[in-house]
Amino acid sequence: MEFLRWLVDYDLHYARAMFAPGGPYGAPAMIGALLVATLWYARRRRARGRSANLKGFLRAVFPSRVVLHRSSLLDMRLWALNAVLLGFAYGLLAIGAVRCRDFVDGALTHVFGAHAPLPWPVWSVLAIATLGELLAYEFGYWFSHYLFHRLPFLWEFHKVHHSAQVLTTFTEMRQHPVEIVFFVNMIALTTGAVFGVNTYLFGAGAHPFTLLNGNIVLMIFLLTWGHLRHSHIWIAFTGFAGRLFQSPAHHQIHHSTNPVHFDKNLGFALAVWDWAFGTLYVPGKAREAMNFGIGETHGDFDTVGRSLARPFLRAGEALAAPANPSAVGADLSGS
């Protein structure tokens, strides 16, 4: 009984964090996305020489063909499962960045010995910590994403996300639990390692500039266009900006069924690791025609039960099958 009470308390704590001001589904993030969508709508109407109105706004930002699509309704169910019901479980399965930080700091101290923190200006330490955490977070995300696209047995789990035939805010959590746990722990490893190095060099006060208790750059992304990555709203960063940051158009290209777009734009907020490793596709200002989904096999993921169970079966088949590079390439053609 005591364990059940603790489990409920933990789950409520996690749910509150999801919807807190600094959480991914808190009011600031959702309002920020709505404001950016409003600016997009107003600019588009002005470019067409038309006046803006509420009815046109609702049709443009919340089209019924997207909101009421069967794929969107499944997104909502998986979002409730992952973001609310199972969120506490993912927290319990995470090794944690703090644990990684302490391990790395202790290892460096053991190898090189203890020393006084470097007497650098506070602003420079905070700037280094901010950039280091940002790049580490993004690398952990990019590398995890790369593995889920390139390794056939992991791709079977990632198919759940790519099976979405329309994109909405809820598509973010249209993921298999195996994928969520993998990503969370990989990011904990990369960010924890950087925190450990910074702690060893500059002391326990080496933390990043924050906004709503999160890395300031990641929070600006979340509070503006972050939730529009999974949407039909084409906002494209081009040129040098498109090589630094992931715009909504970047991620829509990632979900495209066009072979030219396969395995591109694997980053979260930044495009720098895609740029560095050759997986970047910079969108143009004009919207590209594209469809989403994984083709004929989408029926494997048309219910919550199938979305959770089928990947285990398919992953087992992928692990048992002999290596066949051409078969891998063919299967990834839906990515």
Side-chain angles (χ1 to χ4, degrees), residues 155 158-165 255 257 292-301 333-335:
W155 167 244
H158 193 47
K159 276 183 181 179
V160 174
H161 186 65
H162 277 273
S163 64
Q165 295 170 292
H255 276 267
T257 58
F292 305 130
I294 54 175
E296 295 180 357
T297 60
H298 74 85
D300 283 354
F301 310 99
S333 66
S335 63

Side-chain angles (χ1 to χ4, degrees), residues 23-218:
Y25 293 98
M30 304 311 294
I31 293 173
L34 187 62
L35 288 175
V36 173
T38 302
L39 293 174
W40 165 82
Y41 167 73
R43 182 177 180 181
R44 192 175 73 157
R45 298 291 287 187
R46 185 170 61 250
R48 296 178 178 180
R50 300 177 182 178
S51 60
N53 58 77
L54 179 59
K55 185 176 181 180
F57 170 77
L58 294 175
R59 283 182 175 177
V61 177
F62 303 104
S64 58
R65 62 179 176 79
V66 172
V67 175
L68 300 180
H69 195 284
R70 183 177 180 182
S71 175
S72 179
L73 298 178
L74 180 59
D75 282 356
M76 297 178 191
R77 298 186 189 101
L78 286 169
W79 178 87
L81 179 73
N82 285 320
V84 180
L85 296 180
L86 293 182
F88 71 94
Y90 303 138
L92 292 175
L93 292 171
I95 55 176
V98 173
R99 192 174 301 175
C100 294
R101 177 203 65 190
D102 293 342
F103 175 81
V104 171
D105 180 36
L108 291 173
T109 301
H110 177 75
V111 173
F112 300 106
H115 67 89
L118 297 178
W120 289 21
V122 173
W123 68 265
S124 65
V125 174
L126 296 178
I128 290 171
T130 302
L131 181 61
E133 181 192 36
L134 177 65
L135 291 175
Y137 183 101
E138 286 291 328
F139 181 73
Y141 185 96
W142 179 91
F143 186 59
S144 297
H145 208 170
Y146 178 82
L147 292 178
F148 272 82
H149 271 258
R150 301 311 305 167
L151 299 181
F153 78 97
L154 289 180
W155 167 244
E156 295 299 334
F157 295 102
H158 193 47
K159 276 183 181 179
V160 174
H161 186 65
H162 277 273
S163 64
Q165 295 170 292
V166 297
L167 303 181
T168 74
T169 298
F170 295 105
T171 309
E172 181 70 44
M173 295 303 292
R174 184 191 181 114
Q175 298 181 50
H176 195 280
V178 168
E179 178 179 355
I180 294 175
V181 171
F182 190 101
F183 270 65
V184 166
N185 283 291
M186 180 63 75
I187 291 171
L189 284 172
T190 54
T191 56
V194 168
F195 285 151
V197 172
N198 285 340
T199 300
Y200 178 73
L201 293 175
F202 304 112
H207 56 78
F209 287 111
T210 61
L211 176 63
L212 296 175
N213 296 319
N215 184 290
I216 188 170
V217 179
L218 288 174

